[in-house]
Amino acid sequence: PNPDNRFVALLAHTDRAARDAAFKAFAADPAWQKAMTESEADGKLAAEVTEYFLTCTDYSPAVEVTAASPPRTFELRLYQSSSGNPQAI
């Protein structure tokens, strides 16, 4: 059960430009467009999508970047399901 009707995603991208390019390509993908159209046949799945880009504060613990973990941008996305579609999200 999901009483808040919410889906949360934490995404990592190389940087904001890479994030923008990835989402542009994703939105243009014919397979995604078909899946979205079919999923939303009974109405929109998300009533609201909120995006937050996360950055370290000056009092955050130091983030050690190594070759195994290149610099990246973190994005928190919150999806609030629309009325009648909480099970679909």
Side-chain angles (χ1 to χ4, degrees), residues 11-24 52-55 69-75:
L11 308 169
H13 308 281
T14 306
D15 55 31
R16 292 282 285 270
R19 178 261 186 206
D20 293 345
F23 270 93
K24 184 176 181 181
Y52 298 96
F53 288 93
L54 310 176
T55 56
S69 61
R72 53 203 182 271
T73 297
F74 293 98
E75 176 185 9

Side-chain angles (χ1 to χ4, degrees), residues 1-52:
N2 183 357
D4 295 328
N5 297 332
R6 184 172 289 161
F7 172 76
V8 178
L10 181 61
L11 308 169
H13 308 281
T14 306
D15 55 31
R16 292 282 285 270
R19 178 261 186 206
D20 293 345
F23 270 93
K24 184 176 181 181
F26 179 69
D29 180 71
W32 165 246
Q33 291 176 350
K34 180 179 184 284
M36 185 177 76
T37 298
E38 291 171 358
S39 297
E40 293 185 336
D42 294 325
K44 293 274 188 194
L45 295 181
E48 181 180 355
V49 179
T50 306
E51 303 169 329
Y52 298 96

